[in-house]
Amino acid sequence: MERKWWHGKTAYQIYPKSFMDSNGDGIGDLRGIIGKLDYLKELGVDIVWLSPIYCSPLADQGYDISDYYAIDPRFGTMEDMDELLAEAKKRDLHIVMDLVVNHCSDEHIWFRKACEDPDGKYGKYFYIEDHRPGDPLPCNWRSAFGGSVWSPLPGHPDKIYLHIFHRKQPDLNWENPEVRQDIYKMINWWLDKGLSGFRVDAIINIKKRLPYEDYPADRADGLCSIEYMLANAHGVIDFLDEMAENTFRRYDAFTAGEVFHEKPEDLPRFIGDRGVFSSMFDFAETILNQSPLGWYDTKPVTAEQYKAACFASQKRVEQVGFLCNIIENHDEPRGVSHYIPAGQCTVAAKKMLGGLNFMLRGLPFLYQGQEIGMENRRCTSIEEVDDISARDEYKVALDAGLTPEQAMEAVNRFSRDNARSPFQWDSSPNAGFSEGTPWLPVNPNYTEINLAAQREDPDSVWNFYRKLIALRNDPAYREVVVYGALEPYMPEQTNLMAYFRRSAEQTLLVLGNYQNTPQRAALPGTIRTVLINNLHTLQQDDGSVCLEPWQFVVLELEDRS
Ligand code: NOJ
Ligand code: CA
């Protein structure tokens, strides 16, 4: 496998709206981020992904772009963006933006022109079909946020357009070469500005199975999940290869694809040496137990499931490339609330989960607030919820016969707002995020969980993440931590997640006791050094260790064991 400039880096996702507000309007902004670059440096990260900050009506919090070449005034100006790039460069930080090109906003000029003249040039930028009210729709696909993927084309009662996500996110027609060229031009414009690359949004969706056809309905609404169509659509990789050739490869850019359910035979073309992306996120854990019926029907993830999913992902890519490893992002619940059983979310458990994920082979990708162990924020009524996805799932649960309280339970477990509440900087009002009223309330636990407090505490989650990052950057261990092969250790031992990381010279053993009772783990060799320990001691006796509840250690072993 070829070595790439980004392989040894640690990445960090910023959700700009909730990171730091510099002007008291309650919305995080670019100047807020600029003011925190030194913080990111201190934490030890190298690559920073910004969720969308382009001009947008924010119907889906910026994943609905109305101008790819402009910064939304709520986030700042293009001058602020230039300053951010320059300041990041001074600190050797790489800025990566979100690339949202499966769809744009219905307020984008392309869509407005398509509405003015559906038969003209811009009509062909979208998927527009003739449709008389009352006639059957071209297909029964369900949009990601509920309801049909088809909505009436504004101003044209006899036409409809396709949107896999919200109706304010019309899908761009990638079959049209003019669309693709416009997208490549825009990508290169940003790369020319000094951007290091992109996280690539919803990219599997750009290839539709045509002509349209129905799939078996999977809910009472008579519609089917878009997954059926995607499983039957072929050729996305050819679009992506053309995109990479015309853009990313020319700049040696770093790209991380939001890729779900890729076809196994396509994997090398996705993230191999000449892949269309540098890397892609590992979502195998995030989709565990997902029910076609909706959030309300989704069972909690067990330690055994988590372990098996991580190891399967590692195996899948070991000869091919690097995954971006995550426990959460802006679409997911907080990892510590999701993967640690309710009521057991201790500081030790948070560190264990973070450590197990961080030490996997691949690129560790932290999400803002993860480094201080931020947790889900509970809501008591749906009126408090901003996330359009959660609002839909609430309705789905009610329609399935759940009480409002039960439906709120489901929302509280999975709402995307969980990870979008403002960063908890300190214990001052609004957690130091804003001097105004935050657009989304802060988690009331900020008086206990905040960065300022954790800086002072050598045993904090934050100081633990710093140690993990420092180990990755330590020249004595970099080779094995970044490139070492991953080999599961005793995967059959329940609630123990353990693996080797091996290079030609070194063997590390990573152990996590994924339960709230102690457990003994046999050792395959002799410990040379305890490199990381989330507790103060490690009980060892002949050939084994007795791990405390949620204990996590990284051991360097003697020789190759
Ligand atoms: C994935 C993004 O992460 C999510 O926030 C968004 O709603 C969809 N793609 C649509 O762009
Ligand atoms: Ca602001």
Side-chain angles (χ1 to χ4, degrees):
M1 210 173 294
E2 258 173 48
R3 298 220 161 177
K4 304 280 169 65
W5 65 265
W6 52 269
H7 275 162
K9 309 280 187 214
T10 299
Y12 186 95
Q13 179 189 354
I14 288 184
Y15 194 69
K17 204 172 179 188
S18 303
F19 191 59
M20 182 65 204
D21 173 22
S22 71
N23 62 354
D25 66 356
I27 295 179
D29 45 54
L30 288 174
R31 302 221 67 81
I33 298 173
I34 295 170
K36 296 295 182 188
L37 289 176
D38 287 333
Y39 165 67
L40 297 172
K41 202 62 199 166
E42 180 189 7
L43 177 61
V45 303
D46 312 289
I47 296 177
V48 180
W49 154 30
L50 307 180
S51 274
I53 46 170
Y54 311 87
C55 264
S56 164
L58 303 189
D60 185 22
Q61 298 303 357
Y63 285 90
D64 47 320
I65 297 171
S66 54
D67 187 349
Y68 290 97
Y69 292 93
I71 302 293
D72 192 279
R74 284 163 285 196
F75 294 125
T77 61
M78 194 56 83
E79 287 68 45
D80 294 333
M81 186 63 200
D82 289 337
E83 189 176 326
L84 172 65
L85 288 170
E87 290 299 319
K89 191 157 185 211
K90 277 189 206 158
R91 294 166 176 80
D92 207 15
L93 286 168
H94 296 267
I95 303 289
V96 163
M97 282 171 91
D98 224 301
L99 181 65
V100 188
V101 288
N102 172 68
H103 45 267
C104 58
S105 163
D106 64 343
E107 298 182 28
H108 193 285
I109 185 79
W110 294 338
F111 193 72
R112 288 201 269 122
K113 287 194 172 164
C115 293
E116 276 165 26
D117 178 12
D119 298 320
K121 167 173 164 147
Y122 290 101
K124 297 184 186 64
Y125 272 46
F126 299 92
Y127 294 95
I128 294 174
E129 295 292 323
D130 293 331
H131 180 262
R132 281 193 316 252
D135 281 358
L137 293 168
C139 58
N140 69 340
W141 309 343
R142 182 186 302 110
S143 80
F145 304 134
S148 168
V149 294
W150 296 101
S151 285
L153 188 71
H156 300 271
D158 57 340
K159 290 193 190 300
I160 51 179
Y161 70 96
L162 178 124
H163 54 89
I164 288 186
F165 294 90
H166 193 261
R167 67 184 157 69
K168 284 186 71 65
Q169 294 166 298
D171 280 50
L172 287 162
N173 183 357
W174 273 70
E175 306 293 336
N176 178 350
E178 283 185 273
V179 169
R180 306 205 296 272
Q181 288 309 321
D182 273 347
I183 290 172
Y184 306 157
K185 197 172 97 194
M186 177 275 288
I187 293 173
N188 290 338
W189 187 84
W190 279 105
L191 291 172
D192 282 336
K193 255 187 177 301
L195 208 65
S196 294
F198 293 95
R199 173 269 189 180
V200 190
D201 184 71
I203 200 67
I204 285 286
N205 299 281
I206 63 174
K207 186 76 193 182
K208 277 66 172 171
R209 165 97 182 183
L210 299 172
Y212 305 111
E213 57 190 12
D214 283 358
Y215 297 93
D218 56 7
R219 288 187 193 168
D221 60 7
L223 304 176
C224 73
S225 157
I226 203 75
E227 304 298 338
Y228 299 100
M229 179 284 279
L230 295 175
N232 284 288
H234 297 274
V236 66
I237 200 78
D238 298 322
F239 281 156
L240 296 179
D241 201 57
E242 185 191 271
M243 169 161 74
E245 202 51 32
N246 282 281
T247 60
F248 312 142
R249 287 182 188 136
R250 298 184 181 175
Y251 295 79
D252 198 11
F254 169 76
T255 50
E258 191 199 22
V259 175
F260 284 97
H261 308 300
E262 79 286 351
K263 306 203 167 39
E265 66 276 16
D266 282 345
L267 194 61
R269 291 186 69 194
F270 269 105
I271 57 166
D273 280 343
R274 294 287 300 157
V276 298
F277 299 135
S278 310
S279 181
M280 59 193 227
F281 290 92
D282 179 20
F283 291 121
E285 298 77 42
T286 65
I287 59 174
L288 281 169
N289 295 348
Q290 227 173 42
S291 164
L293 299 181
W295 290 354
Y296 74 88
D297 188 49
T298 301
K299 308 275 171 307
V301 172
T302 67
E304 288 304 288
Q305 287 181 314
Y306 182 77
K307 171 170 74 179
C310 288
F311 288 165
S313 294
Q314 292 281 317
K315 183 93 206 134
R316 215 160 41 96
V317 304
E318 64 183 359
Q319 303 298 334
V320 183
F322 271 51
L323 288 173
C324 294
N325 297 314
I326 55 164
I327 62 165
E328 62 197 32
N329 65 26
H330 65 294
D331 293 330
E332 298 295 325
R334 287 288 181 178
V336 295
S337 304
H338 185 59
Y339 298 113
I340 298 169
Q344 298 177 28
C345 195
T346 60
V347 167
K350 290 177 178 182
K351 293 177 183 170
M352 180 217 65
L353 182 71
L356 285 174
N357 187 266
F358 193 95
M359 291 302 294
L360 293 171
R361 185 176 162 282
L363 193 72
F365 227 111
L366 310 187
Y367 176 70
Q368 67 180 43
Q370 176 183 337
E371 75 273 31
I372 55 168
M374 280 179 63
E375 300 173 2
N376 281 354
R377 182 184 67 96
R378 281 190 75 77
C379 292
T380 44
S381 106
I382 194 66
E383 274 67 55
E384 296 165 40
V385 176
D386 170 86
D387 170 25
I388 47 178
S389 180
R391 287 174 165 264
D392 172 57
E393 293 280 353
Y394 179 75
K395 215 172 129 290
V396 168
L398 291 184
D399 291 347
L402 274 74
T403 64
E405 292 70 34
Q406 290 166 329
M408 274 315 289
E409 264 321 298
V411 164
N412 278 323
R413 281 174 64 209
F414 293 106
S415 169
R416 302 191 301 176
D417 286 357
N418 278 317
R420 298 178 181 184
S421 67
F423 191 99
Q424 295 164 205
W425 295 103
D426 57 38
S427 59
S428 68
N430 299 326
F433 161 71
S434 172
E435 286 178 358
T437 306
W439 72 278
L440 200 63
V442 293
N443 190 320
N445 68 14
Y446 75 90
T447 49
E448 277 138 52
I449 300 177
N450 66 67
L451 176 68
Q454 295 200 15
R455 270 180 194 282
E456 306 302 315
D457 173 6
D459 290 330
S460 65
V461 176
W462 187 72
N463 272 305
F464 180 76
Y465 271 103
R466 288 190 75 208
K467 282 184 204 148
L468 289 169
I469 298 174
L471 175 65
R472 190 172 167 84
N473 292 335
D474 180 341
Y477 294 99
R478 200 165 172 75
E479 182 67 22
V480 65
V481 172
V482 176
Y483 293 105
L486 184 142
E487 188 188 307
Y489 176 60
M490 299 203 300
E492 63 293 335
Q493 185 163 326
T494 311
N495 292 354
L496 175 74
M497 179 159 164
Y499 51 87
F500 295 108
R501 298 294 316 277
R502 291 187 197 276
S503 66
E505 311 293 328
Q506 286 164 309
T507 299
L508 305 186
L509 179 62
V510 178
L511 296 173
N513 180 19
Y514 208 132
Q515 61 181 16
N516 66 349
T517 49
Q519 118 162 270
R520 187 168 290 283
L523 286 180
T526 313
I527 300 175
R528 180 180 296 170
T529 331
V530 179
L531 293 174
I532 304 256
N533 185 352
N534 68 345
L535 302 177
H536 285 286
T537 55
L538 176 64
Q539 278 188 54
Q540 302 178 43
D541 47 41
D542 269 358
S544 68
V545 288
C546 184
L547 299 169
E548 295 295 329
W550 310 113
Q551 186 159 20
F552 168 86
V553 287
V554 180
L555 309 174
E556 182 181 8
L557 301 182
E558 297 287 357
D559 316 309
R560 287 182 53 102
S561 329

